[in-house]
Amino acid sequence: MQGFANFMWLLSLALIVFSGFALIDAAVRREDAYRAADKKTKPFWLIILGLAFVVNLLFPILSFLPIIGLVATIVYMVDVRPAIRQITGGGRRGGSSSDGPYGPYNGGR
């Protein structure tokens, strides 16, 4: 039983770190990028992710509230964050949109 408790504690800690990362990432993004990407507003996502973070801190992982927070965090990370990064150009290191993993794609020319 102790092994299961340790596993659940590690899972809870991972969930707290994941939601904390999403909250910090949402806080450092520009507010106009949310509107440009048509992904609600920055205060909306800060409230949602802040609530998810607090819920993950206060409630055990086996209750339904942390699962709702996890869903909100996943939505931000797989939908909102990539759209905002595409608008702001985050994550690119000077490459163009046609660059592949081994250099620029020239269309077979």
Side-chain angles (χ1 to χ4, degrees):
M1 199 63 171
Q2 183 66 27
F4 180 72
N6 288 340
F7 173 73
M8 294 307 287
W9 182 82
L10 286 174
L11 192 61
S12 178
L13 182 64
L15 196 57
I16 290 168
V17 168
F18 184 55
S19 62
F21 173 78
L23 178 62
I24 291 170
D25 184 73
V28 299
R29 301 290 174 183
R30 292 188 348 224
E31 201 275 328
D32 61 332
Y34 287 87
R35 290 190 311 260
D38 198 27
K39 300 293 181 186
K40 298 286 184 191
T41 62
K42 183 175 182 174
F44 172 82
W45 283 108
L46 288 176
I47 290 169
I48 295 296
L49 294 171
L51 286 173
F53 182 73
V54 169
V55 162
N56 288 330
L57 283 174
L58 297 178
F59 292 97
I61 191 141
L62 292 177
S63 65
F64 70 96
L65 287 175
I67 295 172
I68 293 171
L70 176 64
V71 169
T73 305
I74 289 173
V75 167
Y76 175 80
M77 291 298 286
V78 301
D79 184 38
V80 178
R81 184 174 186 250
I84 291 172
R85 287 181 66 174
Q86 186 175 16
I87 295 289
T88 60
R92 298 231 171 228
R93 290 184 173 88
S96 74
S97 62
S98 65
D99 283 354
Y102 305 109
Y105 177 72
N106 61 9
R109 292 179 252 157

